[in-house]
């Protein structure tokens, strides 16, 4: 089995709290985003875009999340608000993949959404191939319009995922994967 297939077959997610720096440098990030954008895209619509959270931008994004959480939960205590402030600061790099899917005369919206999901997976595979660990997450703020707008997501856009990227050399246990006999049928 070649190295690429082995990497894809054994890839595992790493929780953001276990990720550390250094993060990808500027050239590596450009490579990661280039690979993330090389996905099936019927109609060449590029129905996705990326928001990069790195450095101090992660803390600024955390303030946006804490304000949105507090607005929706006025009784939230400081411990919870502190948690919200760190959501995008655990990993040294977070890339939000934003779906710009919308009505089109030829291209179904569903295909556009799948393209955004493929961008997430390409980003994870590329980061893993580069020697980084990655994790694809959403959370309450992926569906909260005030939080999304504060992060720069337009009203007609949706979040496909936050991809957390960093170093993690710790062995990670694999989760139980479905047996192929349970998920494959032949026609």
């Amino acid at each position: 089995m070649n190295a690429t297939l082995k990497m894809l077959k054994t890839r595992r997610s790493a929780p953001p709290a276990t990720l550390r720096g250094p993060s990808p440098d500027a050239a590596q990030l450009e490579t990661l985003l280039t690979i993330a954008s090389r996905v099936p895209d019927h109609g060449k619509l590029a129905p996705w875009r990326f928001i990069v959270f790195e450095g101090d931008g992660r803390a600024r994004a955390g303030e946006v999340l804490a304000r949105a959480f507090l607005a929706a939960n006025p009784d939230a205590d400081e411990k919870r608000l502190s948690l919200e402030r760190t959501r995008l600061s655990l990993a040294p790099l977070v890339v939000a993949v934003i779906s710009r899917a919308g009505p089109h005369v030829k291209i179904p919206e569903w295909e556009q959404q799948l393209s955004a999901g493929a961008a997430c997976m390409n980003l994870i595979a590329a980061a893993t191939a580069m020697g980084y660990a990655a994790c694809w997450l959403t959370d309450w703020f992926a569906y909260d319009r005030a939080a999304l707008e504060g992060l720069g997501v337009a009203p007609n856009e949706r979040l496909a995922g936050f991809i957390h990227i960093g170093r993690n050399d710790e062995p990670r246990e694999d989760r139980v994967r479905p047996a192929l006999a349970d998920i494959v049928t032949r026609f």
Side-chain angles (χ1 to χ4, degrees):
M1 178 179 306
N2 74 32
T4 302
L5 291 176
K6 183 177 179 185
M7 181 273 300
L8 291 170
K9 189 175 179 182
T10 60
R11 184 209 65 78
R12 290 171 180 79
S13 295
T18 68
L19 300 176
R20 58 179 170 64
S23 64
D25 63 28
Q28 290 174 315
L29 180 57
E30 183 174 338
T31 297
L32 289 172
L33 296 176
T34 298
I35 292 169
S37 68
R38 291 188 61 86
V39 295
D41 176 12
H42 189 193
K44 301 175 195 159
L45 300 177
W48 27 254
R49 67 183 183 88
F50 308 110
I51 301 173
V52 176
F53 299 93
E54 57 188 344
D56 293 340
R58 297 171 306 145
R60 288 192 310 273
E63 289 301 325
V64 168
L65 299 182
R67 282 193 304 272
F69 188 84
L70 184 60
N73 303 278
D75 296 332
D77 62 15
E78 187 52 42
K79 183 177 178 182
R80 180 59 190 261
L81 294 176
S82 180
L83 169 70
E84 301 309 332
R85 284 186 189 97
T86 63
R87 294 263 187 199
L88 298 179
S89 294
L90 297 174
L93 174 67
V94 179
V95 177
V97 179
I98 309 301
S99 171
R100 302 189 302 185
H104 188 276
V105 66
K106 284 184 165 181
I107 315 304
E109 204 166 325
W110 172 240
E111 288 185 18
Q112 297 172 54
Q113 292 168 344
L114 290 172
S115 186
C120 291
M121 197 61 227
N122 261 20
L123 181 55
I124 289 171
T128 304
M130 254 186 211
Y132 292 96
C135 184
W136 176 354
L137 293 176
T138 58
D139 208 314
W140 67 266
F141 47 92
Y143 307 98
D144 183 278
R145 285 315 312 173
L148 291 173
E149 288 174 17
L151 296 175
V153 179
N156 64 318
E157 297 177 323
R158 295 175 67 187
L159 182 98
F162 288 99
I163 312 302
H164 301 254
I165 301 170
R167 298 278 181 195
N168 179 324
D169 299 325
E170 306 284 320
R172 295 183 298 280
E173 285 189 35
D174 200 4
R175 64 177 173 83
V176 175
R177 307 291 174 160
L180 292 180
D182 294 338
I183 61 171
V184 177
T185 57
R186 289 187 166 73
F187 191 78

